[in-house]
Amino acid sequence: MTNPRSSTRENRVFNSVFAAREISQPTPHATPDTVFTDPGQRFGGPLVDISHVFPASSSSNHRDDPRGLSQEESSYVQDKVRWDRSWHIVTHALLLSDFPQNLNATVPLQPQKESLDGAFDHSLDNVLYPQDRLPFARDTEDIFEWHSQQVRSHFLHQVLPLIIHSRRIQAPDVFVRSCLKILEIAHHQYLHGLAILKEHMDISTPGTSMPILAKFRRDLHAIISKSVMEPLSAALRGLLERHIYTVLGLPLTNGNENSAIVPEDSYSEEACRQILKLVESLRNVGLAGEKFQVAFAEIMNNSMTKYVYRCCKGLWDSEDGTSYNNATGSSGKEGVVLPRAAHHSSPSRCVTNLCEWIENRFAKLTVQVLSVLDIRTQVSWGDKEKYKEMGIGRLAELRINELFDIVKNWPRSGGALDDLRTAITTPQRRLHLTEAFANTLNEKLLHPGASTLQILQTYISMIWSFHALDNSKVLLDRVAYPLQLYLCSREDTVRIIITGLLADPEDSEEKGTSVEKLVELAHLLNNVSEKIEQRVNDEDLDWHDMEWVPDPADAGPGYKRSKNADIIGTLIGALGTQDVFIKEFQNIIGENMLKYDGAFEREIKVLELLKVRFGEAPLQACEVMLKDIQDSGRVNGLIRKNQKLNITSEEEAAILSHRAEKEHRQTRRSGGPRLEEAVEKCSVNAKILSRLFWPQLQDDNFLVPSEIAALQRRYEEGFASLKASRKLTWLHALGQATVELELEDRTIVEEVHTWQATVIWAFQSDNETAPQHSVEQLVEHLEMEEPLVRSALKFWVNKLVLHEVSPSTFAVLETLNQEDRARSNAQAAASSVANDNDGDDESKQLKKDGIESEKMQLYWQFIQSMLKNSSSQMPLQQIAMTLKMLIMDGFPYSNEELREFLARKVADGELELVGGKYKLNKK
Amino acid sequence: MNYDMEDTQNSAPGSLPPSQATKLAPRKGPDAHSTTKRSVIISLPALPLQTELMQLMTSSAPGISAFPSADGNLLSWTATIEGPDDTPYANLTFKLSFAFPSNYPYAPPTVLFKTPIYHPNVDFSGRICLDILKDKWTAAYNIQTVLLSLQSLLGEPNNASPLNGEAAELWDKDMEDFKKKVLSRHRDVDDE
C-alpha cells in the first residue's frame, strides 16, 4: 500500500480529468442558458417538446424565480443553471477535507458553521428541494446520496489505509485504541457535513431528517464494520479478552497450575471501566455489530469454561468445602446463589463457588456490556439462571472426564462427587456419565497390565463413589457390568477377595501389606455385618420409611433398590456363581487351618457372613472343616494323654543328634474323618479331618523317619481305642515340624515342612563322618519325589546346614569356618533373592504344577479323543474352542498356553503339526 | 394370584407372606443372574452328555473312545472301538456314529458303524442288532457301557439273530474264511 497522501493526489488528478461527481464544476455564469441538445437537434435551439420530457414540471408553480421565466424553455435552462450552481456551492462547502495525519492535533471541522453564508443556505434549499424551487432543472441529484458516496470513498481511500497501516506498525492494544480514535474522528467529520444538512432541513421541513439520517448512519456503519472489523477483530479480541479475564478474576497466563480466582479489586474495576469505554466507542463508530457481539459471547463462553477448569479441576476434597459453606453463611443465601435446578441437593463447594462467581461477576459484566450495547434484549433473571446451569453443566463435563481419577481417590474426593451429584440431573447426563466412565474404565483398567488386586480395589472405590453419587445403584450397575465380566475372566479374583476377607486389618496397618491384600474387605467385614441383617428385610414393605423416593427414571427392569453400598455383597455376587466362591473359600480356609493353630475367629466370622448370604446348606462342608479342627484339638489332647506320647518322645530325643518334631496329617481312605497330628517336644500332634468335606489335598507320600512312624502307630492305636470304627490315614506331606539341629559349632531351630524335616533327618549321624547323600539316593530311600527332595535340599543349603560337595551330592556343614561362611553367604545371597520364602514358595509351585499337570492330563485326554473321533486333524483355534465348549468347569488357559502345551506334545512325538493343523501321530 | 394378593394385604407389614418369601429367595445373589445367563449357551438336553463326556475322559476304558462331532453339536458323537485281541477283529479300529435323541438318557442313541465291518449282527449299511440299543435300553446305560457292549459283541456275536446270515454261518463253520472276509471288508474311514 502506498502512502495515502500520494494515492489521494493521484485520485485527484484522475478526477480532474474524468469529472467525478463530488467535485462537479459549476456551470460558468457566462455560459448561455442552454443545455446539451438531444441527438439530431440544433445546439442552442429551443426545445420542441418540453412537456413531453417533463410532464410534471409544467404544472408546478415557480414561486422563487429570480428572472421570471416567460417561456418554458428558458425557465428550464434557468433552473438547470441554478441547480448546477447551487449544487456546486453546496458540494464545495461540504467537500471532505483530507484526513488529518496527526490524530492528536484538533483539526477544525470543515466547513466551519460561521463560514457558511446566505448564499449557501439559498443553494442548499435549491439542492434539497429541487422540485419546488427549480421545477425545470433536469438531472437533479440527491445531496444525501452524494454525501454518502463521498464519505464512502473518503473512508476507503483515506481512513482505511491509515488503519491498515497502523495495524502493521503498532502493538495490538495501541492499534485498537488508535483505530478507534481514527474512526471516531472520521465519524465526526462525516456527521458534521450531515449535521449541516440536517439543521437546514429541520428549519425548512421539520421532522423529515430522521429517516435520512438513520439511513446514512446505517450505511456508514455497514461499511465501517465490513471493512474494519476484519483487520481489527484479532487485536480487539485480545484486548477484550484480557480485560474480561481481569474483570472476572481469571488468570491471564495459560499455566497449568491451579491459580485461584482474583477477588474483585481496583484492577478489575478499572478493567471493567475500560471495557465499557471500549464498547461504547465501538458502538459509536458502528463496530458493535453482530461480529462484535459474537466475539464477546465467545469470550464469555470461554471464560466460563476456563473458570471451571481453573477453579475446579482436581479440587475434590470436601473437608474445606463444609467449612466454606458454613462460613458463607445462611441457607437463604445459598438459595439465592444456586439455580433452581440444583436446589434439591446440598450444594457442594465448587458448585457454590461457581454460582457465586456467575452471579457476582459473570452476569454482572454481561449486564453492563449489554446495556452499553443498547440491545433490546436485556439480561433477565432467567438468563442468569441459565448461565448458572451452563456453568454447572461445564463442571459436570469436567468431573465426568475426571471421574476415573476421582473414583481412584476415594474417599478423598467426596467434594467432586457432590459436584457431580448436583450436576447429573437429567437422564442424558447420567447416560453420558456412565458411557464416558465405561470408556475410561476399559482404557485404563481392564487390560492385562492391571493386576486383579488393583481392579478389585478400583471396583470397591467405584461402589463407594457411585453409591455416594447416586444411591439408587442404577449408575453403578451400568458401569460395573463390563468390569464384572472382566473380573470373571481373571482366575485369581475369588482368591484375592477371600484372602482379603480373611486378612487381619491391624496386622496390615502395621506392616503396610495393603499392597498385597484387599484389607479394605477385612475392615468392611468388621463394620458392615450388622447392616446385612437389615438388608434381609424387604424395603418395599417398610411403610414407615419417610425418606422413600420412587425408583429413578432410568432404572432398568428388575431393578432392586438397596440403601447401603454393601461392598462385600456386590463383590461376591458379581463374581460368578456361589459354587466357585465357596470352593475357593474352602480351599483357603483349609490351607489356613492346616498351617496355623488358633481359634480361627476370622474364618468363623467370614463363614457366618457367607452363611447369611448363601444359606447354610452350601457351606456345610466349611462348617464341618471348622468343626474338625476344633474337635481334633480335643481328641489330640486325649490321645496323647492316653498313649503317654510326651514322655517317650523325650527319651528318644535325647539320643538323637538331630531332633525333629513333626506334625502330620492323616486321612482315612474311605470317607470318615481325617486326622492331622502334631508333636510337641518330639511328639506327634494331629489334626483330624473328615476327608469327604475337605478339598483335594496334596498327598505326596514318602517314608517318614522310623522314629516318627513309631509314634504315628502309637497315635493310631490311641485313636482306634477312642473311635473304634474309624481308621487314620496319614498325610505326610502336609503339616509342620520344628527341627532342632545340633551341629558342631551351632544349634539351629527351624519351623519347617515335614518333607524338609524328613530330608534333613536322613543326614543325621552318630559317628564322626558326616554322611553324604546324592539326590538319587535320597529319592530312593525316602520314596519321595525328586522335585520335593531337591527343593528341600536347596532349603537346607540356604540355611547353611548342607552344602553341595559335588553336583547333586550334599553333605552336612558341621563347622562354619570363615571361608565356608563367606562362600555360604555368597551362595545364600545369590539364591536368597529368588528363594526368600525358601521352600514355601517352591512347595506351592510344586503343588500348582502338580494340579496343572493333572488337569492337563485331562485336557490331553480330551484332545486325544477329539482328534481320534471327531476330526483327525484340527487347527489350534478349533481345539481351543471345543475344549472351552465341552469342559464343564471351563478351560482356563489361553490359546498361547494351549499352543505351548501342544508344542510339547509334538516334541514328545505324540502329535504332528501339519499345515497349521494338529493330528495324532500314528505309531 | 388373587389369593396371593389377599394374603399380602391381610398379613401384618412386618411378617413376610410366603409368596413374597419365595420371591426373595433368588435375590440372594442378585448378580448371579448375569453369570448364569452367560453359560446358558449349552442347551439343556446337552448337559447330561457333557457330564458323560467328563466321565469318559477321566475314567477311560482301554480300546474305546468317543467325542462329540466337530460341528459342536453335542447330540452327535463319533466313537472309536479297537478290535479286541484274540478275535478276528484284532488290530482293527472301527468308527461309530452316535446320534442322541433330545430326551437322552431316557431313550437310546442311534448307533451305526461308520467303518465297513463284516459281523453277524451288523448289516452292510452299519446298522447294529443289539438289544440294549433297542428294547432293553435303560437310563442307566451310557456311552461307555454301550461301547463296551459293542466291543464284546465283536468277540461274541449273537448268532441267534443275525443281520448278516452269511457271516453268522461262517463264524460257526470256517473261522479262517471269516477272518479273510473281515479283513477284506475293513477299510479305514477318514472323514476328511
Side-chain angles (χ1 to χ4, degrees):
Chain A
M1 189 71 60
T2 54
N3 184 352
R5 198 193 265 273
S6 73
S7 78
T8 315
R9 200 181 299 131
E10 279 168 22
N11 281 335
R12 306 201 83 187
V13 170
F14 179 85
N15 288 339
S16 67
V17 178
F18 304 98
R21 273 200 290 198
E22 64 257 40
I23 45 167
S24 62
Q25 294 301 310
T27 312
H29 287 280
T31 310
D33 298 346
T34 183
V35 291
F36 294 105
T37 54
D38 290 334
Q41 289 212 325
R42 190 169 52 86
F43 179 73
L47 288 170
V48 184
D49 191 8
I50 293 286
S51 60
H52 175 248
V53 181
F54 287 109
S57 63
S58 57
S59 58
S60 55
N61 57 340
H62 326 118
R63 49 187 167 116
D64 198 14
D65 193 344
R67 294 195 196 173
L69 291 177
S70 52
Q71 288 177 329
E72 290 209 326
E73 303 96 72
S74 81
S75 68
Y76 162 73
V77 172
Q78 289 291 327
D79 279 4
K80 180 62 191 168
V81 169
R82 280 170 59 207
W83 158 262
D84 283 352
R85 285 195 186 127
S86 302
W87 179 262
H88 175 69
I89 289 169
V90 171
T91 53
H92 194 76
L94 292 180
L95 189 62
L96 290 168
S97 56
D98 280 356
F99 198 76
Q101 290 299 307
N102 186 357
L103 295 172
N104 294 325
T106 47
V107 182
L109 289 165
Q110 292 292 335
Q112 278 149 330
K113 282 258 172 65
E114 304 82 55
S115 68
L116 301 172
D117 48 10
F120 176 80
D121 287 342
H122 189 74
S123 312
L124 192 55
D125 267 338
N126 285 346
V127 172
L128 281 174
Y129 311 110
Q131 280 91 347
D132 295 346
R133 300 178 61 99
L134 306 167
F136 295 104
R138 247 176 113 188
D139 299 333
T140 58
E141 286 177 60
D142 188 352
I143 186 70
F144 292 105
E145 202 164 292
W146 171 80
H147 188 65
S148 302
Q149 195 72 30
Q150 157 181 271
V151 162
R152 207 172 292 156
S153 161
H154 183 266
F155 179 78
L156 288 178
H157 290 123
Q158 301 204 22
V159 179
L160 191 57
L162 205 61
I163 288 172
I164 287 165
H165 179 67
S166 72
R167 179 171 75 150
R168 236 175 313 129
I169 58 167
Q170 284 169 338
D173 292 1
V174 186
F175 163 62
V176 170
R177 241 168 269 135
S178 67
C179 170
L180 285 176
K181 185 142 193 181
I182 291 168
L183 286 173
E184 260 171 4
I185 291 170
H187 212 257
H188 209 54
Q189 212 176 2
Y190 300 154
L191 285 180
H192 178 70
L194 198 70
I196 293 168
L197 297 177
K198 174 181 179 284
E199 210 170 277
H200 196 86
M201 275 179 85
D202 284 346
I203 294 166
S204 51
T205 50
T208 55
S209 61
M210 284 317 287
I212 295 168
L213 220 59
K215 181 175 181 292
F216 175 76
R217 228 182 254 277
R218 201 168 58 234
D219 286 357
L220 183 61
H221 287 173
I223 192 168
I224 289 177
S225 72
K226 187 103 185 148
S227 52
V228 178
M229 207 57 201
E230 192 259 318
L232 189 63
S233 62
L236 179 64
R237 222 188 148 100
L239 185 67
L240 208 57
E241 200 168 65
R242 224 149 355 101
H243 283 321
I244 287 176
Y245 282 2
T246 316
V247 174
L248 297 179
L250 291 167
L252 297 168
T253 53
N254 278 325
N256 283 326
E257 78 286 351
N258 268 329
S259 39
I261 288 304
V262 186
E264 279 181 302
D265 54 10
S266 55
Y267 283 113
S268 66
E269 276 167 33
E270 174 58 27
C272 186
R273 269 198 297 281
Q274 291 270 358
I275 294 177
L276 296 182
K277 220 172 90 189
L278 186 69
V279 172
E280 189 157 13
S281 35
L282 282 171
R283 191 200 62 193
N284 286 343
V285 299
L287 286 176
E290 197 179 329
K291 278 184 182 161
F292 166 75
Q293 288 163 29
V294 167
F296 178 69
E298 276 173 12
I299 293 169
M300 290 306 276
N301 181 34
N302 289 345
S303 73
M304 189 188 278
T305 314
K306 202 163 178 175
Y307 175 90
V308 169
Y309 273 77
R310 270 306 152 109
C311 298
C312 306
K313 192 174 186 181
L315 215 62
W316 301 333
D317 49 340
S318 55
E319 285 84 32
D320 334 351
T322 47
S323 63
Y324 179 86
N325 277 344
N326 294 339
T328 47
S330 61
S331 56
K333 194 183 171 189
E334 278 166 5
V336 174
V337 163
L338 292 171
R340 253 185 311 186
H343 274 176
H344 63 273
S345 53
S346 61
S348 63
R349 176 181 167 208
C350 279
V351 170
T352 319
N353 279 352
L354 176 67
C355 288
E356 266 175 9
W357 178 78
I358 289 178
E359 170 101 14
N360 297 336
R361 305 182 84 165
F362 187 88
K364 187 172 145 202
L365 180 69
T366 316
V367 169
Q368 281 172 333
V369 169
L370 288 189
S371 66
V372 171
L373 277 180
D374 191 30
I375 289 173
R376 279 184 198 86
T377 52
Q378 286 298 318
V379 181
S380 68
W381 187 80
D383 288 336
K384 217 161 63 189
E385 288 284 281
K386 236 175 255 167
Y387 296 153
K388 284 180 190 168
E389 271 160 37
M390 270 166 65
I392 290 177
R394 302 271 162 82
L395 182 61
E397 184 74 19
L398 171 71
R399 288 287 183 252
I400 287 170
N401 289 339
E402 291 177 326
L403 190 54
F404 186 74
D405 296 321
I406 294 176
V407 164
K408 275 190 128 175
N409 267 316
W410 170 268
R412 292 177 298 282
S413 52
L417 293 170
D418 286 344
D419 294 342
L420 257 183
R421 197 176 45 233
T422 321
I424 47 158
T425 44
T426 59
Q428 286 81 8
R429 255 186 214 162
R430 287 161 69 100
L431 194 66
H432 175 66
L433 178 137
T434 49
E435 274 172 3
F437 187 75
N439 278 342
T440 338
L441 203 62
N442 259 333
E443 267 169 36
K444 292 198 175 168
L445 198 65
L446 303 186
H447 54 72
S451 75
T452 311
L453 185 71
Q454 204 179 343
I455 297 176
L456 280 170
Q457 271 163 346
T458 312
Y459 190 25
I460 292 176
S461 335
M462 258 171 75
I463 298 175
W464 279 120
S465 318
F466 277 77
H467 185 71
L469 195 61
D470 161 54
N471 61 16
S472 67
K473 250 178 140 189
V474 173
L475 294 184
L476 179 65
D477 285 350
R478 271 196 235 148
V479 290
Y481 187 64
L483 186 73
Q484 289 174 2
L485 268 187
Y486 189 79
L487 278 177
C488 286
S489 72
R490 291 265 180 140
E491 279 178 60
D492 49 349
T493 310
V494 180
R495 177 166 277 266
I496 287 178
I497 292 176
I498 295 171
T499 45
L501 283 173
L502 293 173
D504 189 358
E506 291 84 38
D507 201 37
S508 63
E509 268 160 25
E510 285 162 19
K511 293 181 194 164
T513 48
S514 57
V515 233
E516 295 154 36
K517 284 181 177 176
L518 271 183
V519 206
E520 292 93 328
L521 286 179
H523 283 290
L524 283 170
L525 189 63
N526 294 328
N527 314 327
V528 155
S529 41
E530 63 274 16
K531 282 188 189 168
I532 289 163
E533 309 288 329
Q534 298 171 359
R535 198 170 162 272
V536 179
N537 289 325
D538 196 340
E539 282 164 15
D540 290 342
L541 293 177
D542 187 3
W543 295 341
H544 298 290
D545 186 2
M546 286 303 144
E547 277 160 23
W548 184 88
V549 280
D551 289 350
D554 46 359
Y559 167 76
K560 178 79 185 77
R561 170 177 299 277
S562 104
K563 267 188 192 155
N564 52 53
D566 190 16
I567 307 273
I568 300 177
T570 318
L571 276 182
I572 296 177
L575 302 165
T577 56
Q578 62 182 55
D579 297 351
V580 180
F581 201 86
I582 291 171
K583 208 167 154 192
E584 193 67 41
F585 177 70
Q586 221 174 333
N587 281 337
I588 290 172
I589 64 168
E591 221 167 83
N592 282 355
M593 287 191 293
L594 294 181
K595 213 163 176 183
Y596 309 109
D597 291 314
F600 299 108
E601 283 162 17
R602 200 162 296 284
E603 279 77 4
I604 294 171
K605 200 168 193 174
V606 178
L607 182 61
E608 290 303 316
L609 170 84
L610 292 177
K611 268 202 279 186
V612 169
R613 200 166 293 283
F614 296 139
E616 302 256 344
L619 288 158
Q620 196 197 4
C622 299
E623 285 239 43
V624 173
M625 286 164 72
L626 263 176
K627 195 162 172 297
D628 277 350
I629 296 297
Q630 283 161 354
D631 285 353
S632 58
R634 206 160 32 81
V635 174
N636 185 41
L638 207 61
I639 294 174
R640 287 178 42 150
K641 213 177 88 195
N642 293 346
Q643 295 292 313
K644 300 185 184 62
L645 281 165
N646 294 347
I647 305 155
T648 46
S649 64
E650 269 161 24
E651 289 166 352
E652 276 174 34
I655 50 163
L656 296 177
S657 63
H658 308 287
R659 280 192 310 205
E661 296 156 16
K662 299 226 159 191
E663 202 176 86
H664 275 300
R665 172 113 52 67
Q666 298 194 320
T667 323
R668 253 184 63 163
R669 257 293 125 64
S670 54
R674 283 189 180 198
L675 243 233
E676 164 153 329
E677 202 175 316
V679 187
E680 287 293 312
K681 282 287 150 198
C682 201
S683 60
V684 180
N685 282 319
K687 286 178 179 169
I688 304 152
L689 317 176
S690 310
R691 190 180 76 110
L692 282 183
F693 295 94
W694 283 72
Q696 188 66 43
L697 293 166
Q698 176 198 14
D699 55 349
D700 291 313
N701 234 328
F702 49 86
L703 291 183
V704 291
S706 52
E707 291 86 348
I708 300 295
L711 285 179
Q712 286 180 347
R713 272 193 299 281
R714 288 179 59 184
Y715 197 103
E716 271 175 54
E717 283 163 21
F719 183 78
S721 68
L722 208 62
K723 306 205 171 185
S725 61
R726 300 190 186 174
K727 189 172 158 275
L728 282 177
T729 305
W730 297 88
L731 285 179
H732 293 144
L734 297 169
Q736 301 287 320
T738 311
V739 179
E740 199 181 323
L741 302 174
E742 283 172 5
L743 299 169
E744 272 176 28
D745 60 345
R746 64 201 188 278
T747 307
I748 294 172
V749 181
E750 284 285 344
E751 181 86 17
V752 296
H753 292 281
T754 46
W755 43 274
Q756 287 166 341
T758 309
V759 168
I760 200 67
W761 186 290
F763 283 92
Q764 71 169 308
S765 67
D766 297 332
N767 50 25
E768 290 302 301
T769 54
Q772 289 190 2
H773 290 293
S774 69
V775 176
E776 290 76 26
Q777 280 174 328
L778 287 172
V779 169
E780 200 178 314
H781 285 149
L782 302 176
E783 294 180 12
M784 196 189 281
E785 306 252 324
E786 189 182 328
L788 217 53
V789 172
R790 283 193 183 277
S791 163
L793 288 170
K794 207 162 169 191
F795 172 81
W796 290 116
V797 168
N798 284 340
K799 293 285 173 199
L800 298 181
V801 174
L802 297 178
H803 66 288
E804 198 165 0
V805 285
S806 60
S808 295
T809 308
F810 295 81
V812 178
L813 204 59
E814 283 288 353
T815 49
L816 276 184
N817 59 36
Q818 218 49 23
E819 206 178 294
D820 282 338
R821 194 183 287 275
R823 192 191 56 193
S824 309
N825 279 352
Q827 240 176 12
S831 53
S832 68
V833 186
N835 300 307
D836 210 12
N837 281 341
D838 43 67
D840 214 25
D841 271 356
E842 265 174 65
S843 75
K844 262 183 201 164
Q845 189 55 40
L846 277 175
K847 194 172 162 190
K848 200 165 173 238
D849 278 354
I851 289 172
E852 253 176 32
S853 62
E854 183 185 298
K855 273 198 174 169
M856 262 311 182
Q857 194 50 46
L858 176 70
Y859 301 143
W860 175 232
Q861 192 71 40
F862 265 91
I863 294 165
Q864 269 181 312
S865 285
M866 193 189 305
L867 291 173
K868 202 169 189 178
N869 295 305
S870 65
S871 174
S872 63
Q873 48 182 352
M874 284 172 125
L876 180 81
Q877 281 294 335
Q878 200 183 353
I879 294 178
M881 213 184 71
T882 317
L883 286 177
K884 273 176 194 160
M885 192 176 69
L886 291 178
I887 296 176
M888 290 216 303
D889 300 339
F891 182 69
Y893 299 97
S894 69
N895 283 2
E896 279 61 43
E897 284 165 307
L898 179 66
R899 192 196 303 281
E900 218 171 84
F901 176 76
L902 293 176
R904 246 181 292 151
K905 290 290 177 193
V906 171
D908 291 350
E910 301 198 55
L911 282 181
E912 268 182 289
L913 180 57
V914 182
K917 289 181 170 183
Y918 292 92
K919 61 190 241 186
L920 286 174
N921 201 352
K922 292 210 175 96
K923 285 153 204 164
Chain B
M1 190 62 209
N2 277 335
Y3 178 77
D4 280 355
M5 279 172 71
E6 267 173 35
D7 206 297
T8 314
Q9 281 161 359
N10 291 340
S11 61
S15 70
L16 274 162
S19 61
Q20 209 76 20
T22 49
K23 259 187 243 163
L24 280 177
R27 273 198 208 124
K28 269 172 188 152
D31 293 282
H33 288 294
S34 54
T35 48
T36 31
K37 259 178 221 157
R38 259 174 281 135
S39 57
V40 165
I41 308 159
I42 297 145
S43 58
L44 277 177
L47 273 173
L49 281 167
Q50 214 183 4
T51 324
E52 214 167 290
L53 178 65
M54 209 61 180
Q55 277 172 7
L56 208 59
M57 290 301 129
T58 47
S59 61
S60 57
I64 58 167
S65 77
F67 206 78
S69 300
D71 57 0
N73 176 9
L74 265 178
L75 293 179
S76 143
W77 288 40
T78 309
T80 311
I81 296 180
E82 277 167 27
D85 296 339
D86 349 308
T87 67
Y89 305 98
N91 302 325
L92 299 178
T93 57
F94 297 94
K95 296 230 167 191
L96 299 107
S97 76
F98 277 67
F100 294 95
S102 56
N103 58 347
Y104 179 84
Y106 302 105
T110 310
V111 186
L112 292 175
F113 269 95
K114 284 291 160 195
T115 312
I117 183 170
Y118 188 77
H119 188 275
N121 302 108
V122 184
D123 72 6
F124 285 104
S125 49
R127 282 180 292 229
I128 306 163
C129 175
L130 185 64
D131 52 358
I132 64 160
L133 287 177
K134 299 197 166 65
D135 48 342
K136 292 276 169 57
W137 174 265
T138 75
Y141 288 115
N142 58 29
I143 300 167
Q144 196 166 2
T145 54
V146 168
L147 285 174
L148 286 173
S149 307
L150 285 171
Q151 202 178 23
S152 66
L153 187 72
L154 291 182
E156 302 152 14
N158 179 5
N159 285 336
S161 61
L163 277 178
N164 183 343
E166 183 201 43
E169 234 168 273
L170 271 183
W171 176 278
D172 291 334
K173 286 180 185 162
D174 188 354
M175 193 48 96
E176 285 305 309
D177 205 17
F178 185 86
K179 273 183 189 164
K180 261 184 234 157
K181 294 249 181 186
V182 165
L183 289 175
S184 67
R185 175 114 176 91
H186 183 266
R187 248 181 308 112
D188 268 327
V189 280
D190 211 339
D191 46 2
E192 266 164 74

